[in-house]
Amino acid sequence: RQDVIDGCRELGVGAMRWPGGCCADHYHWKDGVGPERYPRLHPIPEPVNPVWRHEFGTDEFLRLCELTGADPVITVNTATGTPQEFLDWYEYVNGDPRTRYGRQRAANGHPAPFTVLKYLEIGNENHGAEYQHRYKLFYDRLKAQFPDFIYISTEHTEQAGLPTEMADDHFYSDPEFFVANTDMYDKLDRGSVDIYCGEYAATINCKEGNLYGALGEAAFLTGIERNQDKVLMTSYAPLFQNVKYKAWSPDMIVFNHYEDYVIPSYHMLAMFGANRGKYVCDHTVTTASSRQFETGAFAVECSDAFRVQDILVNNAPCAGVPNRERVLYGDPAANAQSFTANVLSSGSLHLRFWDCGRNSDDQEHFDWIIEDGCSRVVHYNGWSSETLCAPVCCTLSGQNTVSIRTEEDRFEICLNGELLHAHTLAVLPHLSAVCTVDDEQIITKMVNFSEEAISVRLSADADMCGHAALTTLTSDSYYAANSFENKNAVAPVVTEVSAASDFTLVLPPRSVNILNHPFSK
């Protein structure tokens, strides 16, 4: 499929991670090489196709990397695999044709070794004590044999005192989550481990890939580019979608048996990739912003260790919670509400608020959690989560009074009359931006997430030319999308604009913009 290969080349893909998703925890490379492929039942059966036929395997992936110039990032199966399994895999990929698996690779049509591996990810979305044990087992064995690999962990294993070279963060959320977190990596300890954002995409309200998702992702990427000294790689996921096998959405390049189209996020990433600059220069952004207004009910589920009694919602008494049943209290469409209850607990607590009732990859709720002597608040959005507020040390024993009050973009949480957490949600900046420089120009990336045109004054402490090129990705609707019928409904447009060292530029609403402004000679 030359069109699909060309799409990857035009995007300027630097690295591809594979296997991705839940597949990585069950993938055995020997099932997917040679003329006879070994099918397996999908560990999480899907209505589309519950069987993996392994028609795309090691040879196909590495050939794709060769054709597109991308570095392969191999994900090692730590759940059902072993270090020896990877050692065999490496011999297949890079071994001499006289070795056992190098000879097998040659017989399968690739006599020379494939591209030398640089990156190795130990697991996929694994966490906790069992993963940390498995991670160390793999890391110690493989690092001793391949010291030059860059090893990637699927959680921040350095926090458990383990050797960690790069940690993989994943985000699947709504566009507002990405916009609100443009400063996420500004807060990184510069002495901490490097970051690989190995899976990200706006998924809620963006299932088929639209401008709305591209805007949120672009705003987030301005923050990543601003912190490129620590966030070394990112991977949009997934890359391909065959319309006859739709296991996830959105996907960047969509194809059927004879044609393809790309979603707006593809164009946004192509714009970013073609305009990297050599380094980030000092810049400040002053912008208006919008507040987030969350709505949703309170959710309670009782267990053997956690019972809720005498419930008051908005000062009105409510019935208790049947054991092991999840009950919603309050108005799912309301913003300002209060919840007070007596709790019998043996040490843990789990209450939800601003719960919209959506589950799985569309979930949206805030959880107050007390466990292991620590109280924290976590925002779950799609497959992403963020800890809000500073954790507070506290313990539960016997009967306690708990209360949560929500209003607009703020919540307050009390335990036994004492305020534990008070937090105002991050605002949504109308303008997100990052500025980089190369030998010839200043490259300014600007994302207008708002519904209104923004008049932006740009000033630089350098002599600049009187003209600049502006590349803009926009449409008349957040939900504008491409399709087989209209492949260029959302596509970038390049215009020449008048510019100077100090000038004003009008950015259209709902737009991703890149300004290439040459230095004056």
Side-chain angles (χ1 to χ4, degrees):
R1 289 298 297 268
Q2 190 63 46
D3 56 343
V4 174
I5 298 298
D6 290 344
C8 291
R9 284 176 173 164
E10 291 165 11
L11 186 60
V13 174
M16 290 191 201
R17 175 175 171 265
W18 176 86
C22 300
C23 171
D25 292 330
H26 303 270
Y27 189 77
H28 298 282
W29 72 270
K30 294 175 186 177
D31 296 341
V33 296
E36 298 295 329
R37 304 294 171 100
Y38 183 79
R40 289 180 185 263
L41 287 176
H42 197 296
I44 308 173
E46 301 177 33
V48 176
N49 188 346
V51 177
W52 282 337
R53 302 198 180 278
H54 294 106
E55 292 162 334
F56 186 93
T58 300
D59 294 286
E60 289 75 26
F61 169 64
L62 292 173
R63 182 65 178 141
L64 178 62
C65 290
E66 287 182 334
L67 291 170
T68 59
D71 284 329
V73 181
I74 293 287
T75 304
V76 178
N77 175 359
T78 59
T80 58
T82 65
Q84 184 59 50
E85 185 174 21
F86 174 74
L87 294 176
D88 296 342
W89 199 358
Y90 180 84
E91 185 176 288
Y92 183 88
V93 172
N94 287 134
D96 187 282
R98 292 168 294 185
T99 62
R100 175 184 176 185
Y101 293 108
R103 185 163 52 251
Q104 184 179 347
R105 180 198 65 238
N108 292 336
H110 203 285
F114 281 107
T115 302
V116 175
L117 299 181
K118 298 180 182 178
Y119 305 99
L120 189 66
E121 182 153 2
I122 302 176
N124 172 75
E125 294 185 352
N126 308 119
H127 57 86
E130 179 61 25
Y131 169 68
Q132 291 164 15
H133 169 74
R134 300 283 291 169
Y135 169 84
K136 189 174 188 307
L137 180 72
F138 276 75
Y139 182 91
D140 290 348
R141 175 80 183 276
L142 300 180
K143 182 70 173 178
Q145 189 151 347
F146 305 109
D148 295 332
F149 280 170
I150 296 173
Y151 291 88
I152 305 168
S153 62
T154 72
E155 70 168 354
H156 284 263
T157 47
E158 79 281 0
Q159 296 174 3
L162 296 172
T164 307
E165 298 170 15
M166 191 181 295
D168 185 358
D169 291 343
H170 291 185
F171 303 101
Y172 294 111
S173 307
D174 60 23
E176 286 82 0
F177 175 92
F178 287 105
V179 175
N181 282 285
T182 56
D183 63 347
M184 175 184 292
Y185 292 114
D186 293 345
K187 308 164 189 174
L188 274 179
D189 176 0
R190 306 332 271 187
S192 64
V193 299
D194 293 328
I195 302 295
Y196 171 35
C197 189
E199 292 184 28
Y200 76 91
T203 54
I204 301 176
N205 299 319
C206 312
K207 282 293 187 289
E208 301 307 317
N210 53 31
L211 179 62
Y212 192 36
L215 290 168
E217 294 155 3
F220 187 65
L221 287 175
T222 63
I224 283 183
E225 185 163 303
R226 187 166 55 248
N227 292 280
Q228 59 184 263
D229 62 316
K230 295 301 298 178
V231 188
L232 304 187
M233 299 194 301
T234 65
S235 293
Y236 185 95
L239 177 58
F240 299 122
Q241 181 194 112
N242 183 333
V243 294
K244 294 298 184 181
Y245 180 77
K246 189 174 178 180
W248 184 268
S249 58
D251 308 84
M252 192 176 294
I253 300 174
V254 183
F255 61 91
N256 57 25
H257 289 308
Y258 55 91
E259 61 180 333
D260 69 272
Y261 70 88
V262 299
I263 66 174
S265 295
Y266 173 99
H267 289 304
M268 178 273 294
L269 278 168
M271 291 165 60
F272 271 56
N275 295 279
R276 299 172 191 249
K278 286 190 173 182
Y279 59 90
V280 179
C281 65
D282 287 340
H283 58 279
T284 57
V285 180
T286 303
T287 177
S289 58
S290 299
R291 295 163 63 193
Q292 299 187 71
F293 293 92
E294 295 287 348
T295 60
F298 301 96
V300 181
E301 182 176 349
C302 287
S303 65
D304 294 338
F306 177 53
R307 300 290 299 174
V308 178
Q309 303 170 322
D310 305 325
I311 300 172
L312 292 176
V313 177
N314 302 325
N315 297 317
C318 299
V321 186
N323 195 29
R324 301 194 184 283
E325 289 188 20
R326 181 167 175 262
V327 179
L328 287 174
Y329 291 97
D331 183 357
N335 178 284
Q337 301 189 82
S338 63
F339 176 95
T340 303
N342 289 322
V343 173
L344 288 172
S345 173
S346 61
S348 64
L349 174 146
H350 200 141
L351 294 175
R352 288 184 177 177
F353 58 99
W354 278 333
D355 186 343
C356 296
R358 300 193 302 264
N359 297 314
S360 188
D361 56 333
D362 284 333
Q363 67 180 332
E364 170 74 10
H365 53 82
F366 295 73
D367 291 20
W368 176 22
I369 303 167
I370 297 179
E371 59 186 3
D372 301 325
C374 181
S375 175
R376 57 196 175 95
V377 181
V378 181
H379 175 207
Y380 291 92
N381 183 266
W383 290 113
S384 303
S385 64
E386 57 179 334
T387 299
L388 308 175
C389 318
V392 176
C393 293
C394 68
T395 57
L396 291 175
S397 179
Q399 183 162 311
N400 303 268
T401 300
V402 300
S403 65
I404 303 174
R405 178 177 178 81
T406 64
E407 185 171 6
E408 296 184 339
D409 58 348
R410 182 174 174 81
F411 61 81
E412 294 183 352
I413 294 176
C414 295
L415 174 64
N416 296 324
E418 179 183 352
L419 180 66
L420 283 189
H421 303 288
H423 183 74
T424 301
L425 301 179
V427 298
L428 304 177
H430 292 178
L431 177 68
S432 303
V434 63
C435 187
T436 60
V437 173
D438 63 22
D439 295 334
E440 299 180 347
Q441 62 185 339
I442 296 177
I443 304 169
T444 308
K445 300 179 176 71
M446 297 167 286
V447 182
N448 179 1
F449 191 69
S450 76
E451 287 271 26
E452 306 296 330
I454 297 179
S455 181
V456 180
R457 179 183 176 186
L458 297 102
S459 58
D461 59 352
D463 294 330
M464 308 303 298
C465 285
H467 61 87
L470 179 67
T471 306
T472 300
L473 183 72
T474 188
S475 185
D476 57 2
S477 168
Y478 280 118
Y479 303 102
N482 297 329
S483 64
F484 287 117
E485 293 72 30
N486 190 350
K487 298 180 181 181
N488 294 305
V490 184
V493 175
V494 181
T495 57
E496 186 167 302
V497 297
S498 298
S501 296
D502 192 328
F503 72 106
T504 298
L505 182 68
V506 176
L507 304 180
R510 304 171 301 275
S511 63
V512 179
N513 306 270
I514 298 183
L515 184 75
N516 298 86
H517 194 178
F519 295 117
S520 179
K521 299 298 184 181

